[in-house]
Amino acid sequence: MPPHTPLNHRIPMARTRSLFSVVLQITAFCGLFWLCNLLVELEHLPVPAGVIGMVLLVVLLLTRLVPEKAVRSGSNFLLGELLLFFIPPVVSILKYWSMLRDDGWMLIGALIIGTVVVLTGTAWVVDRIFTLEKRMNERRMLDTVHV
Amino acid sequence: MSDSLLAILSLVATLGFYYLTKLAYRRKRIILLAPMLAAPLAIIALVLAVDIPLDDYYLYTHFLVMMLGPATIAFAVPIYQERDVIRRYPITLTLGVITGLMLGLLSSWILVQLFPLPDELASSMMVRSVSTPFAVEAVSSFGGVPDITAMLVIMTGIIGMAVSETVFKVAKIRTPLAKGAALGAASHGAGTAKARELGREEGVIASLTMIFTGVAMVIGAPLFASVLG
């Protein structure tokens, strides 16, 4: 037997197990979303179910009621493939084809201007605030050292 | 071809083109190969070429869209993992989120006044800068259409990726936090991916800014809509 056989034998097993846990975790995310949806409908909450579920899960993680590794790979998958989940609605722009043909360039122009404004403005503000906050953090650290 | 066959073809093609472009983009980083641009274009081309009715296209692919809700919950994990960054820079993050959100709303509102866009486009514009799962939730407050919103969000993402480096150079932005916050606030997931290319710190700040901007947009949408409407 070549020496690498046991390793080769182990990898598919590990893969199957990790695939299984990803599927299980995704199912858990779906279940939690379903519960939150139910809650929103029953209580007529003004906040969408996804956001409620997100806050709930942050609390569960912080209080260690749910360990991080129980949700990590599921979360990685859902967030890593986020784009896949909204490709179908983009395809339906075919319904609005004539509108895009007539106003497409204007739309792109507006989007470019808007995006440049948000990029520049946010970067400019954060650039200034960050320098300030970093200095505050450094001073706080120095203070604790002195005390 | 029968309807259900077309529906199966639609699902397979959507998954296939998505993973193909993802693989291709990993090998060659050209924006034309970026899955967010190439995959929808390829699928639209197929739908037109085979003449698939949109109802058939949606029959199975709408299950993919249903994952947007659970995916919103999944954002809890990066928030938890990066809680130290949140603790270290609460002011920077808060102001980044507020600035990004306000500038996004105001710029859209002013642009819509200047450019005579059709109503469906104009009202869907307001939420363009936040991540899709949040945007499609928030858009109803503004009277927009989720489908159009998804398209505008993608376009904003691509534009943000394409122009960000030039913008940072011209505006003389150097700190990684500023770049990350701006990318997350202006172009959500695509911006976050771009920020990850710039560096780890940029990526973390971008994803946190993106998530919090999205949450703030969803929660504040009824208020923003009544003020700007």
Side-chain angles (χ1 to χ4, degrees), chain B residues 12-219:
Chain B
V12 172
T14 303
L15 289 168
F17 282 129
Y18 170 73
Y19 283 107
L20 260 177
T21 52
K22 204 173 173 175
L23 215 74
Y25 188 62
R26 210 173 287 162
R27 290 211 175 158
K28 262 192 174 356
R29 296 224 162 251
I30 325 168
I31 203 150
L32 275 174
L33 283 179
M36 96 189 103
L37 185 65
L41 284 181
I43 296 158
I44 287 173
L46 179 85
V47 168
L48 287 175
V50 186
D51 205 11
I52 303 175
L54 278 180
D55 286 339
D56 291 344
Y57 177 77
Y58 268 122
L59 194 60
Y60 296 130
T61 55
H62 86 270
F63 290 116
L64 293 173
V65 190
M66 283 169 70
M67 297 308 285
L68 281 174
T72 316
I73 300 183
F75 280 124
V77 177
I79 294 180
Y80 172 76
Q81 286 169 333
E82 303 302 342
R83 57 196 182 286
D84 285 341
V85 178
I86 302 176
R87 239 174 255 147
R88 218 175 315 141
Y89 300 111
I91 308 172
T92 306
L93 278 169
T94 312
L95 280 173
V97 168
I98 294 175
T99 316
L101 187 67
M102 290 303 140
L103 281 177
L105 282 165
L106 275 177
S107 65
S108 299
W109 188 77
I110 293 171
L111 286 164
V112 164
Q113 311 299 313
L114 294 176
F115 295 85
L117 292 167
D119 281 348
E120 299 102 311
L121 273 179
S123 40
S124 307
M125 271 283 275
M126 307 306 288
V127 295
R128 74 188 153 79
S129 57
V130 302
S131 184
T132 313
F134 303 111
V136 293
E137 284 284 355
V139 78
S140 57
S141 301
F142 295 94
V145 186
D147 295 350
I148 299 183
T149 305
M151 174 195 72
L152 293 179
V153 169
I154 282 206
M155 289 170 76
T156 302
I158 295 168
I159 292 170
M161 265 182 118
V163 302
S164 61
E165 270 176 283
T166 319
V167 167
F168 293 150
K169 215 170 275 167
V170 173
K172 297 203 171 61
I173 305 299
R174 273 178 225 101
T175 55
L177 254 81
K179 289 181 186 173
L183 278 165
S187 50
H188 49 86
T192 304
K194 178 80 200 173
R196 283 207 189 101
E197 286 174 24
L198 297 178
R200 203 198 108 75
E201 209 175 11
E202 284 93 334
V204 171
I205 295 293
S207 86
L208 289 174
T209 309
M210 166 188 81
I211 298 167
F212 293 137
T213 311
V215 172
M217 176 66 94
V218 167
I219 294 174

